[in-house]
Amino acid sequence: MTSGLSRRSLLGAAALAPVVAPLGSRPARAQQGYPMRPIRWVVGYPPGGTTDVLARLIAEPLSRRLGQQVYIENRPGAGNNIGTDAVVKADPDGYTILLVNPANGINTTLYKKLNFDFVRDIVPVAGITRSPNIMEVTPSLPVRTVAEFIAYAKANPGKVNMASSGLGTSVHMSGELFKKMTGVDMVHVPYRGAGPALTDMLSGQAHVLFDNLPSSIEHVRAGGLRALAVTTAERSPALPDVPTVAETVPGYEASAWFGVGAPRRTPPDLIARLNREINDVLSDPATGQKLANLGGTPLRLTPEEFGKVIVDETEKWKKVVEFSGARMD
């Protein structure tokens, strides 16, 4: 059973087979005529989740603009850290990039020991999008509003399974923030990505998920999942009839942000080239409409501006991680 979004229905592009490039740490020199071969884009989650969907959405037009294939390599595991570590260790030559996502900021607090310092070892390249998470339930759960969910969860303490795309992800932390602000008791069930979590949500084995909107929106529209609310301060134009969590829980706000990073010491002119081409892709009305359909807002940023997003979000979620008590060695 395929749990993620259909490539044909959402992206119109076939999945590209991963090819493992050699890893190393040799400094790279700027190259004339860049790129002269395919570019590997590492995604730290399995196919079907938001990070994978967004990377494939951008990779197709970016490949056309660069004149070389940008192919996706899914490297799931360790809450996104396996994929990140692979990019940190890659040659800084512009031919390996990373799909940056909220887990990269959250993991700074969540993990006691990492083989890398994300802010130091990954250079920000460009933003992609910011989107809500969506609080959704399996249709068999007898609730249709956030207020009804809170009442049900309090009447059934420890019996509601809260799925997530992994320990410490924005999906997990959005749920922890909800628990903190409402006092409900839910059992956290982490999965290795949104795709597997959605499989159990659709089958009714998991009860609630604060998923990134892009990977869940089609399931909501098709009736496979019931949307209770979006997690941003304002309603999403993609689902205008779905209220915000804050309409029931004042002050609640969470959103997911995504972008592109590269290994430290990647030449500045290659970073600038990638930033320019990615921002041009984001400026294209067709891409903008696809992101809007998935509930996202384009983030056309300079590398420095995207770096500030990373630092600010890392600080924001530090308190939530500490509240949750979640720690990984």
Side-chain angles (χ1 to χ4, degrees), residues 200-217:
D200 277 6
M201 284 290 295
L202 291 166
S203 68
Q205 295 183 62
H207 302 134
V208 62
L209 177 67
F210 290 76
D211 195 23
N212 302 143
L213 187 55
S215 54
S216 278
I217 192 168

Side-chain angles (χ1 to χ4, degrees), residues 243-314:
T244 67
V245 174
E247 290 175 41
T248 303
V249 186
Y252 182 98
E253 192 281 332
S255 59
W257 48 276
F258 304 89
V260 181
R264 183 165 58 111
R265 297 192 304 276
T266 299
D269 61 333
L270 303 190
I271 297 293
R273 171 74 190 282
L274 287 169
N275 177 271
R276 182 172 65 251
E277 300 295 356
I278 291 168
N279 282 337
D280 284 348
V281 168
L282 295 174
S283 297
D284 182 77
T287 302
Q289 186 59 55
K290 288 178 181 179
L291 289 174
N293 290 342
L294 296 173
T297 302
L299 287 180
R300 290 183 288 271
L301 305 173
T302 65
E304 293 76 19
E305 289 169 338
F306 183 52
K308 186 176 186 304
V309 170
I310 293 171
V311 171
D312 290 348
E313 291 287 336
T314 298

Side-chain angles (χ1 to χ4, degrees), residues 50-322:
T50 293
T51 51
D52 181 70
V53 169
L54 290 174
R56 294 180 192 278
L57 189 153
I58 300 299
E60 182 184 8
L62 183 59
S63 296
R64 292 196 299 267
R65 292 194 63 85
L66 292 172
Q68 291 285 350
Q69 183 184 39
V70 179
Y71 65 90
I72 308 304
E73 180 179 314
N74 297 96
R75 295 288 295 271
N80 189 68
N81 289 324
I82 288 177
T84 301
D85 188 59
V87 176
V88 168
K89 293 176 179 176
D91 287 337
D93 55 8
Y95 291 98
T96 300
I97 57 178
L98 176 71
L99 193 291
V100 178
N101 65 89
N104 292 119
I106 292 168
N107 286 350
T108 300
T109 304
L110 179 67
Y111 283 80
K112 293 181 180 179
K113 297 180 181 179
L114 288 172
N115 295 326
F116 53 84
D117 180 317
F118 182 76
V119 174
R120 181 195 66 199
D121 295 332
I122 293 292
V123 178
V125 174
I128 296 177
T129 189
R130 186 183 285 275
S131 65
N133 286 356
I134 182 167
M135 181 182 179
E136 59 199 12
V137 296
T138 185
S140 62
L141 207 68
V143 300
R144 293 189 173 275
T145 67
V146 173
E148 289 180 359
F149 179 88
I150 293 171
Y152 179 86
K154 288 186 174 181
N156 296 274
K159 295 181 180 179
V160 175
N161 291 334
M162 182 185 78
S164 81
S165 54
L167 186 67
T169 60
S170 71
V171 176
H172 173 208
M173 288 297 118
S174 294
E176 292 292 344
L177 181 61
F178 184 85
K179 289 168 62 177
K180 180 176 186 291
M181 296 182 70
T182 62
V184 301
D185 179 17
M186 298 184 288
V187 178
H188 177 221
V189 183
Y191 291 79
R192 294 186 64 190
L198 285 166
T199 297
D200 277 6
M201 284 290 295
L202 291 166
S203 68
Q205 295 183 62
H207 302 134
V208 62
L209 177 67
F210 290 76
D211 195 23
N212 302 143
L213 187 55
S215 54
S216 278
I217 192 168
E218 291 303 316
H219 295 303
V220 169
R221 287 170 173 163
L225 296 173
R226 179 182 300 143
L228 300 186
V230 293
T231 63
T232 38
E234 303 293 334
R235 294 192 181 196
S236 170
L239 295 171
D241 295 330
V242 176
T244 67
V245 174
E247 290 175 41
T248 303
V249 186
Y252 182 98
E253 192 281 332
S255 59
W257 48 276
F258 304 89
V260 181
R264 183 165 58 111
R265 297 192 304 276
T266 299
D269 61 333
L270 303 190
I271 297 293
R273 171 74 190 282
L274 287 169
N275 177 271
R276 182 172 65 251
E277 300 295 356
I278 291 168
N279 282 337
D280 284 348
V281 168
L282 295 174
S283 297
D284 182 77
T287 302
Q289 186 59 55
K290 288 178 181 179
L291 289 174
N293 290 342
L294 296 173
T297 302
L299 287 180
R300 290 183 288 271
L301 305 173
T302 65
E304 293 76 19
E305 289 169 338
F306 183 52
K308 186 176 186 304
V309 170
I310 293 171
V311 171
D312 290 348
E313 291 287 336
T314 298
E315 182 61 28
K316 172 182 178 178
W317 289 104
K318 177 181 179 181
K319 296 178 181 178
V320 181
V321 172
E322 290 173 346

